[in-house]
């Protein structure tokens, strides 16, 4: 599977399945989310006592609404217009249609105490470019939180980076062709963060109460000293040149 076509297929699949996904989330159809992973990412974000959050890949906005109830100001972005429209209809944040490529190119000018990616990093090169833009989105002392399927329990063979076929199993009815996703080992996630100018600060492994195995991995990372300011300065210069 060619990398370029795989990246495009991710967006195609989410455009096609947006309504089914919205129903699955709002009706609580995904057992692991209800049992452990939703609460795990909420607690991880709130543990940072943020005033502001940027939710990259916000979907229909459930996380933003939950954080808003705790007094957090949230900017949510997603590339799928129908999901952003659904989020806007429910409120709880400032929701915008922005692709990861656009974020990587500097489309977001805000900074936040926390940038969160909750099961929203499926690509290869697109994710690399997105993460490289994160330091410029963080306030001083800010943090990135990524929740993703745990690489050791994702039932992927061989245990090596590469594109894999997706699945909607466990999400309920109404789904069409699933999106492919780029699998990364634990070591690869750490290397990817380092290449983006980020330093791993912590790793949580929320345990599924029924299986006793990790339901996900939550990476906590911060910008290397000076990297966020340097990237923000470059972004500002680039923006002024194009105006």
């Amino acid at each position: 599977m060619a990398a370029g076509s795989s990246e495009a297929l991710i967006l195609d699949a989410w455009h096609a399945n947006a309504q089914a996904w919205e129903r699955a989330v709002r009706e609580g159809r995904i057992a692991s989310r209800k049992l452990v992973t939703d609460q795990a990412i909420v607690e991880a974000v709130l543990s940072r006592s943020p005033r502001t959050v940027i939710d990259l890949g916000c979907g229909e906005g459930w996380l933003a609404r939950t954080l808003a109830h705790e007094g957090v100001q949230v900017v949510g972005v997603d590339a799928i217009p129908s999901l952003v429209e659904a989020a806007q209809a429910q409120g709880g944040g400032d929701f915008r249609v922005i692709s990861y490529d656009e974020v990587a190119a500097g489309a977001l000018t805000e900074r936040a105490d926390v940038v969160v990616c909750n099961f929203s990093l499926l690509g290869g090169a697109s994710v690399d470019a997105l993460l490289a833009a994160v330091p410029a989105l963080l306030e001083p002392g800010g943090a990135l939180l990524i929740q993703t399927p745990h690489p050791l329990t994702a039932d992927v063979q061989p245990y090596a980076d590469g594109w894999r076929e997706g699945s909607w199993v466990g999400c309920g009815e109404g789904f069409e062709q699933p999106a492919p996703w780029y699998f990364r080992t634990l070591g690869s996630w750490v290397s990817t963060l380092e290449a983006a100018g980020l330093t791993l600060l912590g790793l949580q492994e929320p345990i599924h109460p029924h299986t006793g195995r990790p339901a996900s991995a939550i990476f906590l990372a911060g910008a290397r000293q000076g990297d966020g300011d340097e990237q923000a300065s470059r972004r500002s210069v680039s923006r002024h040149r194009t105006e």
Side-chain angles (χ1 to χ4, degrees):
M1 185 181 294
S5 61
S6 297
E7 298 278 5
L9 286 173
I10 292 174
L11 287 177
D12 290 345
W14 278 97
H15 279 289
N17 292 288
Q19 290 186 338
W21 177 255
E22 181 187 349
R23 289 194 300 271
V25 172
R26 295 193 178 179
E27 296 174 8
R29 296 180 181 179
I30 306 171
S32 60
R33 295 178 69 112
K34 288 179 63 178
L35 290 170
V36 59
T37 62
D38 280 1
Q39 189 61 29
I41 194 63
V42 170
E43 291 178 356
V45 173
L46 293 179
S47 72
R48 305 292 302 180
S49 300
R51 295 174 298 102
T52 54
V53 166
I54 295 174
D55 185 359
L56 296 177
C58 65
E60 56 74 63
W62 79 267
L63 179 56
R65 291 191 297 275
T66 302
L67 296 174
H69 290 155
E70 300 295 330
V72 182
Q73 294 182 345
V74 184
V75 173
V77 304
D78 203 287
I80 309 304
S82 59
L83 288 176
V84 173
E85 290 169 5
Q88 290 170 335
Q90 292 291 316
D94 174 5
F95 298 103
R96 310 173 193 175
V97 179
I98 305 177
S99 71
Y100 284 178
D101 287 345
E102 290 170 327
V103 174
L108 273 177
T109 58
E110 290 85 356
R111 286 192 174 202
D113 300 316
V114 170
V115 172
V116 60
C117 303
N118 186 50
F119 292 116
S120 59
L121 300 184
L122 301 179
S126 64
V127 169
D128 294 340
L130 175 73
L131 292 178
V134 166
L137 301 177
L138 294 174
E139 294 281 11
L144 167 70
L145 283 163
I146 298 170
Q147 181 163 226
T148 190
H150 197 291
L152 292 178
T153 56
D155 196 26
V156 168
Q157 299 293 334
Y159 186 68
D161 292 5
W163 286 97
R164 303 292 194 272
E165 293 184 0
S167 172
W168 296 113
V169 172
C171 295
E173 300 176 350
F175 287 90
E176 301 178 15
Q177 182 67 27
W181 63 294
Y182 190 80
F183 175 81
R184 301 172 196 261
T185 66
L186 281 173
S188 179
W189 271 112
V190 174
S191 298
T192 298
L193 292 170
E194 291 178 347
L198 296 154
T199 299
L200 182 66
L201 302 175
L203 170 62
Q204 298 179 38
E205 299 169 288
I207 301 299
H208 195 293
H210 295 168
T211 67
R213 305 178 72 194
S216 66
I218 299 179
F219 297 94
L220 170 67
R224 287 197 294 266
Q225 188 172 4
D227 281 7
D229 291 335
E230 181 180 350
Q231 289 192 26
S233 177
R234 290 177 179 174
R235 183 176 62 185
S236 177
V237 170
S238 176
R239 186 167 64 250
H240 285 309
R241 285 177 177 171
T242 59
E243 289 176 352

